[in-house]
Amino acid sequence: MLGSLRETINHDHQEITDFFDSQPEIYELIDAMVISARGSIMTVLENLPEDGCSTFRYMLWRTMYDYVETSLLLLIKTRIDEGYALLRMAAELTRDIARIAESQNNFEMWQNRASSHNGEAYRSIFRFNNSDAHEKHILSLYNLASVYGVHSHQTRDAHLSHLGVVQGKYIKVNVPERKMLDALTLWLFSFFPLHIVAGRTFADVYSTI
């Protein structure tokens, strides 16, 4: 743990930069994925229908994208629990985007989901569709990220390994790169299913371009 906030910011930036500099193929792959997702989202914005439901789903998609991107940066810094927790949030939001798109009633129910009398109905409708291959994959992500991210708090600590002694008295530990790459693999395999499910709710937009 570093002394000042500025030191932490600089260290985090350097850590992410060093990783991508050492893994140019991974950087090129992820950069291409990110550009494709951003392009899809911007295409929807430029042709967005003027109804409230479409605007709302677009905003949720943008939020989901932010969760996924921030998750990537956390995983590279070996903050695995936080990275997984954001992937779970992305999975949940993607599910909700899909259900909202199905009907105006679902849209209104989502907006009022905090109301106690809507709780049971909300939970019965806002579920993953296991008959859909992409949503089934996202459900698996949701479950894994719940166990090892949201409810674990020790996924990172469980993989710490001794790296040496600093200044003769401080033990230096970190998560081995192999474990970080395992977490990054989950991110890579989840990226497109999340964006496919969110993006296809705007199929009408793409068909008119």
PDB file of all heavy atoms in Angstrom, residues 14-35:
ATOM      1  N   GLN A  14       1.072   2.737 -14.191  1.00  0.00           N
ATOM      2  CA  GLN A  14       2.294   2.070 -14.623  1.00  0.00           C
ATOM      3  C   GLN A  14       2.102   0.558 -14.704  1.00  0.00           C
ATOM      4  O   GLN A  14       2.600  -0.101 -15.618  1.00  0.00           O
ATOM      5  CB  GLN A  14       3.448   2.403 -13.674  1.00  0.00           C
ATOM      6  CG  GLN A  14       4.820   1.976 -14.201  1.00  0.00           C
ATOM      7  CD  GLN A  14       5.176   2.698 -15.487  1.00  0.00           C
ATOM      8  OE1 GLN A  14       5.126   3.928 -15.562  1.00  0.00           O
ATOM      9  NE2 GLN A  14       5.525   1.930 -16.524  1.00  0.00           N
ATOM     10  N   GLU A  15       1.359   0.005 -13.734  1.00  0.00           N
ATOM     11  CA  GLU A  15       1.130  -1.434 -13.703  1.00  0.00           C
ATOM     12  C   GLU A  15       0.345  -1.900 -14.932  1.00  0.00           C
ATOM     13  O   GLU A  15       0.680  -2.914 -15.560  1.00  0.00           O
ATOM     14  CB  GLU A  15       0.384  -1.810 -12.424  1.00  0.00           C
ATOM     15  CG  GLU A  15       0.283  -3.297 -12.166  1.00  0.00           C
ATOM     16  CD  GLU A  15      -0.296  -3.616 -10.798  1.00  0.00           C
ATOM     17  OE1 GLU A  15      -0.770  -2.688 -10.098  1.00  0.00           O
ATOM     18  OE2 GLU A  15      -0.283  -4.813 -10.428  1.00  0.00           O
ATOM     19  N   ILE A  16      -0.692  -1.150 -15.292  1.00  0.00           N
ATOM     20  CA  ILE A  16      -1.499  -1.497 -16.460  1.00  0.00           C
ATOM     21  C   ILE A  16      -0.683  -1.327 -17.741  1.00  0.00           C
ATOM     22  O   ILE A  16      -0.713  -2.189 -18.633  1.00  0.00           O
ATOM     23  CB  ILE A  16      -2.771  -0.634 -16.503  1.00  0.00           C
ATOM     24  CG1 ILE A  16      -3.680  -0.981 -15.318  1.00  0.00           C
ATOM     25  CG2 ILE A  16      -3.527  -0.834 -17.819  1.00  0.00           C
ATOM     26  CD1 ILE A  16      -4.808   0.003 -15.099  1.00  0.00           C
ATOM     27  N   THR A  17       0.058  -0.231 -17.836  1.00  0.00           N
ATOM     28  CA  THR A  17       0.886   0.013 -19.015  1.00  0.00           C
ATOM     29  C   THR A  17       1.950  -1.064 -19.177  1.00  0.00           C
ATOM     30  O   THR A  17       2.178  -1.567 -20.294  1.00  0.00           O
ATOM     31  CB  THR A  17       1.556   1.398 -18.914  1.00  0.00           C
ATOM     32  OG1 THR A  17       0.549   2.408 -18.818  1.00  0.00           O
ATOM     33  CG2 THR A  17       2.421   1.668 -20.139  1.00  0.00           C
ATOM     34  N   ASP A  18       2.591  -1.440 -18.073  1.00  0.00           N
ATOM     35  CA  ASP A  18       3.637  -2.464 -18.127  1.00  0.00           C
ATOM     36  C   ASP A  18       3.074  -3.799 -18.601  1.00  0.00           C
ATOM     37  O   ASP A  18       3.719  -4.525 -19.388  1.00  0.00           O
ATOM     38  CB  ASP A  18       4.290  -2.645 -16.754  1.00  0.00           C
ATOM     39  CG  ASP A  18       5.192  -1.486 -16.376  1.00  0.00           C
ATOM     40  OD1 ASP A  18       5.509  -0.666 -17.261  1.00  0.00           O
ATOM     41  OD2 ASP A  18       5.557  -1.388 -15.187  1.00  0.00           O
ATOM     42  N   PHE A  19       1.870  -4.125 -18.124  1.00  0.00           N
ATOM     43  CA  PHE A  19       1.272  -5.397 -18.534  1.00  0.00           C
ATOM     44  C   PHE A  19       1.018  -5.413 -20.037  1.00  0.00           C
ATOM     45  O   PHE A  19       1.397  -6.366 -20.733  1.00  0.00           O
ATOM     46  CB  PHE A  19      -0.038  -5.655 -17.787  1.00  0.00           C
ATOM     47  CG  PHE A  19      -0.792  -6.835 -18.333  1.00  0.00           C
ATOM     48  CD1 PHE A  19      -0.362  -8.127 -18.079  1.00  0.00           C
ATOM     49  CD2 PHE A  19      -1.906  -6.651 -19.139  1.00  0.00           C
ATOM     50  CE1 PHE A  19      -1.039  -9.229 -18.608  1.00  0.00           C
ATOM     51  CE2 PHE A  19      -2.591  -7.737 -19.664  1.00  0.00           C
ATOM     52  CZ  PHE A  19      -2.152  -9.028 -19.401  1.00  0.00           C
ATOM     53  N   PHE A  20       0.389  -4.377 -20.547  1.00  0.00           N
ATOM     54  CA  PHE A  20       0.075  -4.361 -21.973  1.00  0.00           C
ATOM     55  C   PHE A  20       1.343  -4.253 -22.828  1.00  0.00           C
ATOM     56  O   PHE A  20       1.399  -4.806 -23.932  1.00  0.00           O
ATOM     57  CB  PHE A  20      -0.888  -3.225 -22.295  1.00  0.00           C
ATOM     58  CG  PHE A  20      -2.322  -3.540 -21.956  1.00  0.00           C
ATOM     59  CD1 PHE A  20      -3.104  -2.660 -21.219  1.00  0.00           C
ATOM     60  CD2 PHE A  20      -2.903  -4.724 -22.389  1.00  0.00           C
ATOM     61  CE1 PHE A  20      -4.426  -2.954 -20.919  1.00  0.00           C
ATOM     62  CE2 PHE A  20      -4.232  -5.031 -22.098  1.00  0.00           C
ATOM     63  CZ  PHE A  20      -4.986  -4.141 -21.361  1.00  0.00           C
ATOM     64  N   ASP A  21       2.361  -3.563 -22.330  1.00  0.00           N
ATOM     65  CA  ASP A  21       3.630  -3.503 -23.065  1.00  0.00           C
ATOM     66  C   ASP A  21       4.276  -4.886 -23.158  1.00  0.00           C
ATOM     67  O   ASP A  21       4.937  -5.213 -24.155  1.00  0.00           O
ATOM     68  CB  ASP A  21       4.599  -2.532 -22.389  1.00  0.00           C
ATOM     69  CG  ASP A  21       4.226  -1.076 -22.630  1.00  0.00           C
ATOM     70  OD1 ASP A  21       3.387  -0.819 -23.519  1.00  0.00           O
ATOM     71  OD2 ASP A  21       4.767  -0.208 -21.920  1.00  0.00           O
ATOM     72  N   SER A  22       4.084  -5.688 -22.119  1.00  0.00           N
ATOM     73  CA  SER A  22       4.680  -7.026 -22.108  1.00  0.00           C
ATOM     74  C   SER A  22       3.825  -8.057 -22.834  1.00  0.00           C
ATOM     75  O   SER A  22       4.290  -9.169 -23.110  1.00  0.00           O
ATOM     76  CB  SER A  22       4.902  -7.490 -20.661  1.00  0.00           C
ATOM     77  OG  SER A  22       3.665  -7.736 -20.000  1.00  0.00           O
ATOM     78  N   GLN A  23       2.571  -7.693 -23.137  1.00  0.00           N
ATOM     79  CA  GLN A  23       1.639  -8.601 -23.799  1.00  0.00           C
ATOM     80  C   GLN A  23       0.983  -7.887 -24.984  1.00  0.00           C
ATOM     81  O   GLN A  23      -0.221  -7.628 -24.996  1.00  0.00           O
ATOM     82  CB  GLN A  23       0.566  -9.069 -22.810  1.00  0.00           C
ATOM     83  CG  GLN A  23       1.073  -9.755 -21.565  1.00  0.00           C
ATOM     84  CD  GLN A  23       1.528 -11.173 -21.841  1.00  0.00           C
ATOM     85  OE1 GLN A  23       1.281 -11.718 -22.921  1.00  0.00           O
ATOM     86  NE2 GLN A  23       2.190 -11.797 -20.882  1.00  0.00           N
ATOM     87  N   PRO A  24       1.760  -7.545 -26.021  1.00  0.00           N
ATOM     88  CA  PRO A  24       1.187  -6.764 -27.130  1.00  0.00           C
ATOM     89  C   PRO A  24       0.060  -7.475 -27.866  1.00  0.00           C
ATOM     90  O   PRO A  24      -0.884  -6.826 -28.341  1.00  0.00           O
ATOM     91  CB  PRO A  24       2.393  -6.525 -28.051  1.00  0.00           C
ATOM     92  CG  PRO A  24       3.387  -7.590 -27.687  1.00  0.00           C
ATOM     93  CD  PRO A  24       3.195  -7.834 -26.222  1.00  0.00           C
ATOM     94  N   GLU A  25       0.128  -8.819 -27.961  1.00  0.00           N
ATOM     95  CA  GLU A  25      -0.944  -9.540 -28.652  1.00  0.00           C
ATOM     96  C   GLU A  25      -2.252  -9.437 -27.886  1.00  0.00           C
ATOM     97  O   GLU A  25      -3.335  -9.267 -28.481  1.00  0.00           O
ATOM     98  CB  GLU A  25      -0.572 -11.010 -28.846  1.00  0.00           C
ATOM     99  CG  GLU A  25       0.631 -11.241 -29.751  1.00  0.00           C
ATOM    100  CD  GLU A  25       1.948 -11.176 -28.990  1.00  0.00           C
ATOM    101  OE1 GLU A  25       1.924 -10.911 -27.766  1.00  0.00           O
ATOM    102  OE2 GLU A  25       2.997 -11.396 -29.613  1.00  0.00           O
ATOM    103  N   ILE A  26      -2.163  -9.556 -26.555  1.00  0.00           N
ATOM    104  CA  ILE A  26      -3.368  -9.422 -25.736  1.00  0.00           C
ATOM    105  C   ILE A  26      -3.924  -8.010 -25.856  1.00  0.00           C
ATOM    106  O   ILE A  26      -5.145  -7.811 -25.956  1.00  0.00           O
ATOM    107  CB  ILE A  26      -3.074  -9.777 -24.261  1.00  0.00           C
ATOM    108  CG1 ILE A  26      -2.750 -11.270 -24.138  1.00  0.00           C
ATOM    109  CG2 ILE A  26      -4.255  -9.412 -23.366  1.00  0.00           C
ATOM    110  CD1 ILE A  26      -2.412 -11.709 -22.725  1.00  0.00           C
ATOM    111  N   TYR A  27      -3.026  -7.019 -25.848  1.00  0.00           N
ATOM    112  CA  TYR A  27      -3.496  -5.637 -25.981  1.00  0.00           C
ATOM    113  C   TYR A  27      -4.234  -5.434 -27.299  1.00  0.00           C
ATOM    114  O   TYR A  27      -5.317  -4.832 -27.331  1.00  0.00           O
ATOM    115  CB  TYR A  27      -2.337  -4.650 -25.891  1.00  0.00           C
ATOM    116  CG  TYR A  27      -2.791  -3.237 -26.201  1.00  0.00           C
ATOM    117  CD1 TYR A  27      -3.480  -2.500 -25.241  1.00  0.00           C
ATOM    118  CD2 TYR A  27      -2.607  -2.681 -27.464  1.00  0.00           C
ATOM    119  CE1 TYR A  27      -3.941  -1.228 -25.526  1.00  0.00           C
ATOM    120  CE2 TYR A  27      -3.071  -1.418 -27.754  1.00  0.00           C
ATOM    121  CZ  TYR A  27      -3.739  -0.693 -26.789  1.00  0.00           C
ATOM    122  OH  TYR A  27      -4.216   0.554 -27.077  1.00  0.00           O
ATOM    123  N   GLU A  28      -3.671  -5.926 -28.387  1.00  0.00           N
ATOM    124  CA  GLU A  28      -4.306  -5.742 -29.692  1.00  0.00           C
ATOM    125  C   GLU A  28      -5.669  -6.413 -29.752  1.00  0.00           C
ATOM    126  O   GLU A  28      -6.626  -5.875 -30.324  1.00  0.00           O
ATOM    127  CB  GLU A  28      -3.393  -6.288 -30.788  1.00  0.00           C
ATOM    128  CG  GLU A  28      -2.142  -5.446 -31.013  1.00  0.00           C
ATOM    129  CD  GLU A  28      -1.232  -6.036 -32.082  1.00  0.00           C
ATOM    130  OE1 GLU A  28      -1.649  -7.007 -32.747  1.00  0.00           O
ATOM    131  OE2 GLU A  28      -0.107  -5.522 -32.249  1.00  0.00           O
ATOM    132  N   LEU A  29      -5.775  -7.597 -29.149  1.00  0.00           N
ATOM    133  CA  LEU A  29      -7.055  -8.299 -29.125  1.00  0.00           C
ATOM    134  C   LEU A  29      -8.091  -7.511 -28.334  1.00  0.00           C
ATOM    135  O   LEU A  29      -9.214  -7.266 -28.811  1.00  0.00           O
ATOM    136  CB  LEU A  29      -6.870  -9.688 -28.510  1.00  0.00           C
ATOM    137  CG  LEU A  29      -8.153 -10.480 -28.217  1.00  0.00           C
ATOM    138  CD1 LEU A  29      -8.925 -10.758 -29.505  1.00  0.00           C
ATOM    139  CD2 LEU A  29      -7.828 -11.771 -27.481  1.00  0.00           C
ATOM    140  N   ILE A  30      -7.725  -7.103 -27.119  1.00  0.00           N
ATOM    141  CA  ILE A  30      -8.673  -6.386 -26.265  1.00  0.00           C
ATOM    142  C   ILE A  30      -9.033  -5.036 -26.866  1.00  0.00           C
ATOM    143  O   ILE A  30     -10.195  -4.612 -26.831  1.00  0.00           O
ATOM    144  CB  ILE A  30      -8.092  -6.229 -24.847  1.00  0.00           C
ATOM    145  CG1 ILE A  30      -8.019  -7.595 -24.154  1.00  0.00           C
ATOM    146  CG2 ILE A  30      -8.930  -5.256 -24.018  1.00  0.00           C
ATOM    147  CD1 ILE A  30      -7.369  -7.573 -22.791  1.00  0.00           C
ATOM    148  N   ASP A  31      -8.060  -4.353 -27.439  1.00  0.00           N
ATOM    149  CA  ASP A  31      -8.329  -3.056 -28.052  1.00  0.00           C
ATOM    150  C   ASP A  31      -9.338  -3.204 -29.193  1.00  0.00           C
ATOM    151  O   ASP A  31     -10.263  -2.384 -29.327  1.00  0.00           O
ATOM    152  CB  ASP A  31      -7.025  -2.444 -28.563  1.00  0.00           C
ATOM    153  CG  ASP A  31      -7.178  -0.980 -28.932  1.00  0.00           C
ATOM    154  OD1 ASP A  31      -7.818  -0.238 -28.167  1.00  0.00           O
ATOM    155  OD2 ASP A  31      -6.648  -0.576 -29.980  1.00  0.00           O
ATOM    156  N   ALA A  32      -9.183  -4.249 -30.004  1.00  0.00           N
ATOM    157  CA  ALA A  32     -10.128  -4.487 -31.097  1.00  0.00           C
ATOM    158  C   ALA A  32     -11.528  -4.781 -30.555  1.00  0.00           C
ATOM    159  O   ALA A  32     -12.541  -4.310 -31.111  1.00  0.00           O
ATOM    160  CB  ALA A  32      -9.646  -5.637 -31.972  1.00  0.00           C
ATOM    161  N   MET A  33     -11.605  -5.554 -29.483  1.00  0.00           N
ATOM    162  CA  MET A  33     -12.894  -5.856 -28.871  1.00  0.00           C
ATOM    163  C   MET A  33     -13.559  -4.597 -28.338  1.00  0.00           C
ATOM    164  O   MET A  33     -14.763  -4.365 -28.550  1.00  0.00           O
ATOM    165  CB  MET A  33     -12.698  -6.880 -27.743  1.00  0.00           C
ATOM    166  CG  MET A  33     -12.240  -8.248 -28.217  1.00  0.00           C
ATOM    167  SD  MET A  33     -11.644  -9.324 -26.877  1.00  0.00           S
ATOM    168  CE  MET A  33     -13.167  -9.616 -25.962  1.00  0.00           C
ATOM    169  N   VAL A  34     -12.786  -3.781 -27.656  1.00  0.00           N
ATOM    170  CA  VAL A  34     -13.311  -2.542 -27.080  1.00  0.00           C
ATOM    171  C   VAL A  34     -13.799  -1.598 -28.178  1.00  0.00           C
ATOM    172  O   VAL A  34     -14.886  -1.008 -28.079  1.00  0.00           O
ATOM    173  CB  VAL A  34     -12.221  -1.866 -26.217  1.00  0.00           C
ATOM    174  CG1 VAL A  34     -12.573  -0.409 -25.928  1.00  0.00           C
ATOM    175  CG2 VAL A  34     -12.037  -2.629 -24.906  1.00  0.00           C
ATOM    176  N   ILE A  35     -13.016  -1.462 -29.246  1.00  0.00           N
ATOM    177  CA  ILE A  35     -13.408  -0.583 -30.346  1.00  0.00           C
ATOM    178  C   ILE A  35     -14.703  -1.066 -30.997  1.00  0.00           C
ATOM    179  O   ILE A  35     -15.591  -0.261 -31.333  1.00  0.00           O
ATOM    180  CB  ILE A  35     -12.274  -0.493 -31.383  1.00  0.00           C
ATOM    181  CG1 ILE A  35     -11.099   0.311 -30.816  1.00  0.00           C
ATOM    182  CG2 ILE A  35     -12.776   0.151 -32.684  1.00  0.00           C
ATOM    183  CD1 ILE A  35      -9.860   0.277 -31.682  1.00  0.00           C
TER     184      ILE A  35
END
